[in-house]
Amino acid sequence: MRTGRTGALSGVETPGETDASDTRSLREVVYHRLRDEILNGRISPRERLTEPKLGKAFDVSRTPVREALSRLLSDGLVERTDFGYAVVVPSLEDLRNLYELRITLELRGIARAIENPEVRHDEAALRDELDRWYALRATPPEPDPSFVLLDERYHQVLSRSSGNAQLTDALVTVNQKIRAVRMHDFVETDRIATTIDEHIEIVELVLDRRLPEALTALHKHVGESLEVVMERATAAMTRMALAG
């Protein structure tokens, strides 16, 4: 975890000086900071998360850490272990179900525009996102797990541009649950280059109102064959184990 003393909570009183309202505030800050660390893959699934360790890292007493961990446990982001807590990694069965749901949510954004001609994508938002990916194609980034955040942003913009915010919110939730595995799918140069090209193709098709073609391209992109998706996920989980 990259918190350390430099990431300690600033502008707060020492543990001995806090009252009940301060403790609630600290709990919220610790919860959101720790949740962000987990969802952005900055904490290894093998890292031991204990109250003393986190209290020292965030420069707070154990009480707000304990309450934050309790909330993260309810969120399904951490699990109890013999030594404290650890980040939850979905099982292969859970991954299969979540990827299946992701594919359904991804395709629905374009499918609803095909079914209802009155549904129009937000072209301004798509053009802004397209420019971002043109720039990435011109200067491709080095393979890095953090690329998953750019990928998620793209799919959120594409989904939200179709006009159904609830659909996008559901997609965001699913992506957060599989991020710890998906981030290890972007450690090869070919994967980065292919993703960039496919992202550009999909948005160009949507902007041209060639929606059936866009739907086919998106389906292929997110995993036309669930078995292929699971193969990638299994390989990603193997890399996680080796890196842990």
Side-chain angles (χ1 to χ4, degrees):
M1 188 174 68
R2 301 179 187 173
T3 307
R5 291 290 301 182
T6 58
L9 305 179
S10 59
V12 298
E13 297 171 327
T14 60
E17 298 171 330
T18 57
D19 58 20
S21 62
D22 291 328
T23 301
R24 286 193 296 271
S25 177
L26 286 175
R27 176 190 61 196
E28 289 296 316
V29 175
V30 172
Y31 167 73
H32 287 290
R33 288 277 296 277
L34 192 53
R35 183 175 184 271
D36 179 68
E37 293 277 315
I38 292 171
L39 292 178
N40 285 291
R42 291 192 288 267
I43 299 179
S44 166
R46 289 192 173 188
E47 183 169 352
R48 297 184 176 189
L49 303 177
T50 64
E51 290 177 15
K53 176 182 178 180
L54 293 173
K56 182 178 180 180
F58 287 103
D59 197 19
V60 297
S61 69
R62 293 174 62 169
T63 299
V65 171
R66 183 181 305 118
E67 294 174 346
L69 286 170
S70 178
R71 288 182 62 182
L72 292 168
L73 183 66
S74 298
D75 292 343
L77 293 177
V78 300
E79 59 187 354
R80 292 186 185 277
T81 66
D82 292 339
F83 54 75
Y85 295 85
V87 174
V88 169
V89 177
S91 66
L92 285 177
E93 181 180 358
D94 288 340
L95 280 172
R96 178 182 292 274
N97 293 335
L98 288 168
Y99 264 104
E100 212 168 52
L101 178 56
R102 180 194 175 209
I103 290 170
T104 299
L105 295 170
E106 292 270 14
L107 298 181
R108 187 60 199 156
I110 295 179
R112 64 191 300 270
I114 294 175
E115 296 167 4
N116 183 359
E118 293 184 1
V119 173
R120 307 285 295 190
H121 284 80
D122 183 340
E123 294 191 3
L126 288 181
R127 292 189 187 283
D128 285 345
E129 189 65 16
L130 185 58
D131 287 341
R132 182 173 289 105
W133 289 88
Y134 281 151
L136 288 171
R137 184 166 65 181
T139 309
E142 292 295 320
D144 189 280
S146 64
F147 187 83
V148 72
L149 300 177
L150 294 176
D151 182 80
E152 286 184 15
R153 175 193 165 89
Y154 169 88
H155 287 283
Q156 289 173 29
V157 171
L158 179 60
S159 175
R160 200 174 300 280
S161 71
S162 72
N164 188 328
Q166 285 71 29
L167 196 66
T168 305
D169 290 344
L171 177 62
V172 169
T173 298
V174 171
N175 280 336
Q176 288 178 341
K177 291 181 177 180
I178 61 178
R179 181 183 296 160
V181 174
R182 288 195 67 240
M183 65 189 295
H184 291 270
D185 193 27
F186 296 108
V187 295
E188 298 174 359
T189 301
D190 288 348
R191 281 289 295 131
I192 299 292
T194 298
T195 297
I196 292 172
D197 288 341
E198 291 179 356
H199 280 185
I200 290 173
E201 177 191 13
I202 293 164
V203 172
E204 287 180 339
L205 288 170
V206 171
L207 289 172
D208 288 343
R209 296 295 295 173
R210 295 158 60 187
L211 298 181
E213 293 175 65
L215 185 65
T216 299
L218 180 60
H219 196 177
K220 179 181 179 182
H221 175 66
V222 298
E224 192 170 42
S225 168
L226 187 58
E227 294 308 315
V228 172
V229 172
M230 290 306 300
E231 182 180 346
R232 288 179 179 172
T234 302
M237 291 182 74
T238 300
R239 283 194 291 268
M240 287 176 64
L242 293 174

